[in-house]
Amino acid sequence: METTLTQSSQTPQTQDTFPINGTDHIELYVGNAKQSAMYYQAALGFEWVAYQGPETGVRDRVSYVLQQDKIRIVLTAALSPDHEIAKHVAEHGDGVKVLALWVDDAEKAYHTAVERGAKSAFPPFSTEDANGKVTMAAIHTYGDTIHTLVDRSQYNGPFLPGYEARKSVYPIKPVGLKYVDHCVGNVELGGMNKWVKFYEDVMGFKLLVTFDDKDISTEYTALMSKVVSNGNGYIKFPINEPAKGRKKSQIEEYLDFYRSAGVQHIAVATDDIIDTVSRMRANGIDFLYVPETYYEDVLDRVGHIEENLEELKALNILIDRDEDGYLLQIFTKPIQDRPTVFFEIIQRAGARSFGKGNFKALFEAIEREQELRGTL
Ligand code: FE2
């Protein structure tokens, strides 16, 4: 079956029944937030902007808020072993707990979602400090992941009420990351259609594109994926599930190590991927490796690109083209001990798709890593 592009991500919807302005923040539960915060600052170029913990009157946890352009990452760790956050980390390892969505009316969005079948994570509440008021509520999605709905229209503090402003204690060199392009979930076998339907029914998302195991398979493993997108196209959630292959797929490996469905990767956009990846490599970030042979015929497939192919090859950046333009992309290796969450860096030159032409090369690269881990 061919990949089907069912709808353009930029097509305005006539009626958006679940308006979302964009990604508000992404919160990871981690084992050691202080040290993770250093990684995000030193290696990924994020600025430290806010904090809560014992010094601010919060006794059971610490949270570091880091920001680069429009991307806001929250790193939270528990201060006692029986805490829900500590249990989450024991079960899943470091991982994404919250994909928070920025809305104008959190109460209305929450009630709409729950009426349409979403499971409540917490009901709406308002919280305020000297900087104003924020209203939040949350619903469950796949695995232990939740969507917090955040209305910050009456707030001008550094993050949320209760957080204090902080600054990095040494000069940060941003790497050019601009905004969240898409967030990918891995779900269990048979779960993909269920979660696509959840986003369609509950949040009014539309199916953007379908990849089956013919599109995404190597000699050994396969997966299937469907991408859903919200009314204004700013939120894109690809949902992957494993497909039958000769060996264990990367999705099964993820599910084994994360021990449930969860966020697989966060794709962040840059305007200059050569500069961004050069800086990240210099900072010690390691990326998936694609053999040099990839570059021998890549231009036959994608046609003319503005960038210098030798530079892309030296950095191992991949190229793909669709009917709207081309894109450049690269995947980091996992960013924690377990082979679970990683980042994708993406630069779009018109293309609205997800790099289908690179799937085979990328998945073979992941399989080489699986082989080294003994999990293929
Ligand atoms: Fe991606």
Side-chain angles (χ1 to χ4, degrees), residues 60-118:
D60 65 335
R61 64 173 75 188
V62 294
S63 293
Y64 288 75
V65 185
L66 301 140
Q67 189 158 358
Q68 190 165 177
D69 205 323
K70 293 191 173 67
I71 310 163
R72 197 151 42 198
I73 300 279
V74 184
L75 302 167
T76 295
L79 296 176
S80 65
D82 54 350
H83 197 287
E84 167 221 337
I85 294 164
K87 288 179 184 161
H88 193 279
V89 172
E91 178 70 8
H92 302 293
D94 289 5
V96 175
K97 176 65 185 181
V98 184
L99 292 172
L101 304 170
W102 172 32
V103 298
D104 287 334
D105 189 339
E107 215 159 311
K108 187 176 170 202
Y110 171 86
H111 289 298
T112 302
V114 169
E115 273 163 29
R116 292 172 178 176

Side-chain angles (χ1 to χ4, degrees), residues 45 72 80 140 171 195 202 218 309 312 316 337 375:
R72 197 151 42 198
S80 65
H140 286 276
W195 288 106
V202 169
T218 66
L309 187 67
L312 297 176
N316 223 235
D337 302 324
T375 59

Side-chain angles (χ1 to χ4, degrees), residues 150-226:
V150 185
D151 165 15
R152 53 173 65 257
S153 56
Q154 296 173 68
Y155 194 69
N156 58 16
F159 179 51
L160 293 173
Y163 281 79
E164 288 183 4
R166 288 287 193 277
K167 277 197 171 84
S168 297
V169 297
Y170 68 102
I172 301 299
K173 298 189 193 103
V175 301
L177 304 178
K178 311 220 52 123
Y179 60 88
V180 176
D181 186 276
H182 59 276
C183 291
V184 180
N186 281 345
V187 301
E188 43 298 289
L189 187 63
M192 178 179 69
N193 286 328
K194 174 187 146 186
W195 288 106
V196 165
K197 190 165 162 39
F198 166 86
Y199 283 108
E200 288 174 340
D201 292 352
V202 169
M203 297 168 80
F205 282 37
K206 299 279 187 265
L207 182 65
L208 195 63
V209 56
T210 298
F211 304 104
D212 68 13
D213 51 352
K214 306 281 190 305
D215 298 313
I216 319 179
S217 67
T218 66
E219 187 186 348
Y220 297 126
T221 75
L223 66 90
M224 295 190 290
S225 187
K226 286 185 175 176

Side-chain angles (χ1 to χ4, degrees), residues 182 184 238 264-267 329 331 342 344 346 354:
H182 59 276
V184 180
Q264 179 210 41
H265 74 265
I266 302 163
Q329 66 185 164
F331 287 5
F342 59 87
E344 173 183 349
I346 184 165
F354 298 87

